[in-house]
Amino acid sequence: MVKVCQSTIIEAPVDEVWAILRDFNGHDRWHPAIAFSEIEGGEPVDAVGAVRHFRLNDGGELREQLLALSDKDRRLSYCLLEAPLPLMGYVASIRLKPVTDGNATFWEWRSEFQPPAHCRDELVRLVTEGIYQAGFAAVRNLLKRRSVGSPVETRPPQAIVAPPPPIDMPHAAPRTAPGRTATTRAIVVERYGGPEELRLRDIELPPLASNEVRIRHTVIGVNFIDVYCRTGFFDLLKPPGVPGMEAAGIIEAVGPAVSGFSAGDRVAYACPPVGAYSERRNMAPELLVHLSDDITDEIAAAGLLKGVSASFLLHDVHAVKPGEIVLIHAAAGGIGQLLVQWARHLGATVIATVSSDDKARVVERLGADHVIVYSRENFGDAVMRLTGGRGADVAYDAVGNDTFAGSLAALAVRGHLVSFGQASGPVGNWDIGRFASKSLTISRPNYAHFTDTPEKLAPHVARFFQALRQGVVRIEAPTRYDLANAADAHRDLESRRTTGALVLMPKP
Amino acid sequence: MTKVYVSSVIPAPAAEVWKLVRNFNALPSWAPFVAESRIEQNAQADQIGCIRSFTLKDGGRIRERLLALSDYDLSCSYAILESPMAVENYVATLSLTPITDGNLTLAEWQAEFDCAADREAALMHQIGNGIFQTALGALKHRFGR
């Protein structure tokens, strides 16, 4: 039996470090050796007995079981069930202690195992340096990146199990006094145009109709569809109007004809009519979704529209089957990240395209089998090379003008192009006769047609929340903007600088 | 039962720090508020059960009994027999843990005791900050390079 013990000091509060380490499925977000991890059978990440199944960057697959976890002592232990190396009888434990003068954390990582004699030294060195010391450095880096506010890799490990953010407002605000018009701060588009048309105004909040609820937004989602509303590409918004189709918040007041919702309920929505870019709004409750305690407002606002979209894109528009080859463009974006994770889970081989090496790293860590940086390489050629000339069974393309022709070229015979956006501009006119050369199918789904009734929407919401809970998809902490800075959010989204989701915060 | 916990990173290997702190009679040599100390009845300073009797620089007198000492765990525990602090059932443990990354030492000092409810906050502050953290700070300074 050999014993390995490594310890270090991390310059961060102990609770912050513990929040990272206690997520038994979160190690793929910080440990450089790990490409992808999931908890088997959808167990909670902190359930004793849960098994994490993960893949190393070199392709090796391991399974480890959580044996004990104590939030009081900030320690956990686990054992190896299956590994590509003979780390026999490997049991490890991690414990943290606060350093009370200053704000640092002592972190000890120890293990025991019985290696075969001939590779004993090699395995001890691998565990000591390759796992423990590398892990120390990686968590240090993660915390450093977080503290400088980079949007990349900042999803907190307990993103979906964290309690909702503290609510500092009364649950039920008094109704507006009669005779006085209520107002709310909102982003108003006076005319179609660029991001500069997004201006903060005080607007009137009409009296609550009997079949409406009033919602105080806590977090507002930003989506490309909002850009199309702002520019007039879609006529969902008629100027002057308030854009936005996604938000989470708290119900402040309920009309007398409404049932199923009460003041104080946590809710989210991802649907027309537009109007989410505001502090408060009135809304018919048909498409509101109740939020359970394990889904934070931030994750709901950052993920609901994208998650529902991913659900119908992968299950209805094209039902992805195990073994299919799926091409996903803009894979580091908000919806791209969901598509990559979910398509992988469905058993597909995922080929992802991104515009930069930084984004490639993000997507690799989500489990994409192949990542193509299309600014450096013709992605159509790359897909053919990666698939031995066969091509992809389905391509998910929200980029539009820049990628449409390439996506057609990258498809297999009887392939399916799902065009669900035009971030780089409309795709123009195409002669469908050319599609016969490979018997291609084209879809152009419209979000509303899959989500505009409770009956259509509910299965997607349920499926998305279930995927979140089971760790099938994870959503990194979104990049936040003050509501007043909605124009900056649109500029960043359109410039392709961002990864992951963007949200607006009504209360800075 | 009230609990106090403090810790500090000492810039020296644990074995070196332990050589100093394992001596139950050595407080005057590193704890800045201790004037002098002796072990009662000519006992050895590492004999379980021995009693140290020491005076603080402010004149207070304290008697403590060594309850446990481990050269394997680098830790020692003791109980207060007499002190001016009005605490009961006071047991404290000072322990060291090697930090492999940089050859440093985590020093932890914790205590449990009973006291009157209205004195709890003041005692926690006095023991935690005034005594333990101050002494660890001195230890840190002593090994500072």
Side-chain angles (χ1 to χ4, degrees), chain A residues 307-328:
Chain A
V308 164
S309 303
S311 172
F312 70 71
L313 289 172
L314 295 168
H315 295 90
D316 293 353
V317 177
H318 181 100
V320 171
K321 291 183 279 297
E324 282 196 329
I325 296 167
V326 175
L327 174 65
I328 296 168

Side-chain angles (χ1 to χ4, degrees), chain B residues 18 66-67 72-73 83 110 131:
Chain B
W18 180 243
L66 183 63
L67 299 178
Y72 179 74
D73 295 325
S83 88
Q110 44 205 317
I131 302 176

Side-chain angles (χ1 to χ4, degrees), chain B residues 39-60:
Chain B
I39 302 288
E40 293 182 357
Q41 298 184 339
N42 275 333
Q44 295 297 314
D46 55 3
Q47 185 182 325
I48 306 302
C50 78
I51 295 168
R52 68 182 173 193
S53 173
F54 59 98
T55 46
L56 303 174
K57 285 182 178 160
D58 69 7

Side-chain angles (χ1 to χ4, degrees), chain A residues 124-140:
Chain A
V124 166
R125 191 167 56 245
L126 173 84
V127 171
T128 306
E129 295 170 14
I131 302 178
Y132 298 172
Q133 291 176 3
F136 292 160
V139 165
R140 220 173 254 129

Side-chain angles (χ1 to χ4, degrees), chain A residues 23-31 33-43 45 50-57 60-65 155 341 344-345 363-368 467-468 470-474:
Chain A
D23 179 356
F24 193 53
N25 195 37
H27 58 157
D28 64 334
R29 290 195 292 271
W30 51 271
H31 203 289
I34 297 167
F36 176 74
S37 175
E38 64 185 350
I39 300 281
E40 293 181 358
E43 291 278 319
V45 292
V51 174
R52 65 183 178 194
H53 182 174
F54 59 101
R55 200 172 63 239
L56 303 176
N57 286 323
E61 302 222 358
L62 294 90
R63 292 171 69 236
E64 288 178 340
Q65 184 163 35
R155 46 189 181 145
Q341 298 176 75
R344 269 282 310 187
H345 178 75
V363 174
E364 269 160 12
R365 300 186 67 153
L366 295 175
L468 269 179
Q470 294 187 344
V472 168
V473 297
R474 277 179 280 171

Side-chain angles (χ1 to χ4, degrees), chain A residues 3 5-9 72 95 97-101 104 106 108 133 136 140, chain B residues 3 5-9 72 97-101 104 106 108 110 133 137 140:
Chain A
K3 296 186 183 190
C5 176
Q6 292 291 301
S7 51
T8 195
I9 299 293
K72 176 172 162 287
R95 65 169 177 155
K97 293 182 170 210
V99 179
T100 61
D101 58 343
F106 168 80
E108 185 184 80
Q133 291 176 3
F136 292 160
R140 220 173 254 129
Chain B
K3 294 184 184 185
Y5 173 91
V6 308
S7 59
S8 195
V9 178
Y72 179 74
T97 306
I99 301 172
T100 59
D101 190 357
L104 315 170
L106 177 74
E108 296 173 278
Q110 44 205 317
Q133 200 81 68
K140 195 170 178 163

